[in-house]
Amino acid sequence: KAGVTQTPRYLIKTRGQQVTLSCSPISGHRSVSWYQQTPGQGLQFLFEYFSETQRNKGNFPGRFSGRQFSNSRSEMNVSTLELGDSALYLCASSPLQENTEAFFGQGTRLTVV
Amino acid sequence: GQQVMQIPQYQHVQEGEDFTTYCNSSTTLSNIQWYKQRPGGHPVFLIQLVKSGEVKKQKRLTFQFGEAKKNSSLHITATQTTDVGTYFCAGPPPGGSARQLTFGSGTQLTVLP
């Protein structure tokens, strides 16, 4: 069974630009969650999608958005990038059931210069 | 909001020594999960505890969930160099989605050969 695939693995962007990251979940998993990982703030929940709808959202500004497609693939977008957005962005897929583990992708390392 | 604290932040041990990391939540958890992240890697699920007072073992790893379901611990017996990494606990918010995880700050384990 293929794991969670995130693309690209690395990105360098300039302040003010926008970026789109992609995540393909494990086949059969309908829930996709996004997390931001930084040395200072640790792992923080961004949002969760299933059935093409955002279900939960963490405490991040509106510059962070996402969407999910009918095949459960998800994208997240960050607009007007700031230096502080430099982070490892992790996607996690899960089946839609309680008490289930999250399967993380390898992440996209975003550097904003 | 929910806060999950972990101590210690860093731990250096000699190979063969034991290691313990502690996790405390500001709210009662429906379940607690443990993840391991190797340097340069992504979080990998280790285990989930659901019941009050639950204890689970995986070879040299012992996981405990507190009676009040607000704290947890991970104990590694006779550490090996393969145990190197950061260990995170995580739990969902009260009444929230099981997939919206609040992560502890992690304990970074270094094992000296």
Side-chain angles (χ1 to χ4, degrees):
Chain A
K1 204 176 200 181
V4 179
T5 303
Q6 290 189 246
T7 56
R9 291 291 309 280
Y10 302 93
L11 264 180
I12 300 176
K13 289 286 188 178
T14 304
R15 261 185 310 175
Q17 287 186 315
Q18 67 96 25
V19 67
T20 300
L21 313 180
S22 179
C23 172
S24 293
I26 292 171
S27 177
H29 286 189
R30 292 173 55 200
S31 167
V32 174
S33 298
W34 289 89
Y35 291 83
Q36 181 196 64
Q37 186 174 32
T38 60
Q41 299 298 317
L43 268 159
Q44 293 186 288
F45 174 83
L46 279 157
F47 28 64
E48 178 196 10
Y49 284 85
F50 64 85
S51 298
E52 302 174 61
T53 303
Q54 187 180 95
R55 302 295 177 168
N56 300 285
K57 188 170 174 20
N59 190 23
F60 280 83
R63 299 185 297 107
F64 292 80
S65 63
R67 59 177 176 168
Q68 187 182 36
F69 302 94
S70 58
N71 61 359
S72 294
R73 190 177 71 84
S74 177
E75 290 180 346
M76 69 162 281
N77 185 277
V78 188
S79 62
T80 319
L81 283 165
E82 300 176 0
L83 296 179
D85 297 332
S86 295
L88 180 66
Y89 290 89
L90 291 158
C91 165
S93 82
S94 302
L96 279 183
Q97 59 194 61
E98 293 299 307
N99 297 335
T100 183
E101 68 191 86
F103 295 82
F104 284 87
Q106 293 187 309
T108 294
R109 172 75 62 185
L110 172 65
T111 302
V112 182
V113 298
Chain B
Q2 179 190 41
Q3 291 186 339
V4 178
M5 288 144 289
Q6 243 181 294
I7 56 169
Q9 189 175 358
Y10 303 96
Q11 185 80 59
H12 294 230
V13 298
Q14 207 70 37
E15 190 173 16
E17 291 182 337
D18 292 357
F19 158 77
T20 304
T21 173
Y22 300 91
C23 178
N24 283 283
S25 170
S26 59
T27 60
T28 302
L29 298 167
S30 58
N31 71 77
I32 192 155
Q33 302 177 20
W34 285 90
Y35 292 80
K36 176 184 178 182
Q37 185 173 22
R38 294 182 186 274
H42 58 280
V44 175
F45 175 81
L46 292 176
I47 207 159
Q48 178 177 258
L49 304 170
V50 178
K51 299 176 184 175
S52 167
E54 190 169 15
V55 178
K56 285 189 176 180
K57 292 191 176 185
Q58 287 180 350
K59 297 183 180 178
R60 295 178 294 104
L61 278 61
T62 302
F63 303 84
Q64 293 189 329
F65 200 9
E67 294 291 339
K69 300 183 75 173
K70 293 182 73 173
N71 56 59
S72 182
S73 65
L74 157 60
H75 179 83
I76 302 179
T77 304
T79 54
Q80 300 175 357
T81 54
T82 53
D83 295 325
V84 164
T86 301
Y87 292 85
F88 294 96
C89 61
S97 165
R99 295 166 298 280
Q100 180 178 349
L101 297 174
T102 299
F103 278 80
S105 51
T107 296
Q108 186 176 318
L109 174 64
T110 301
V111 180
L112 306 169

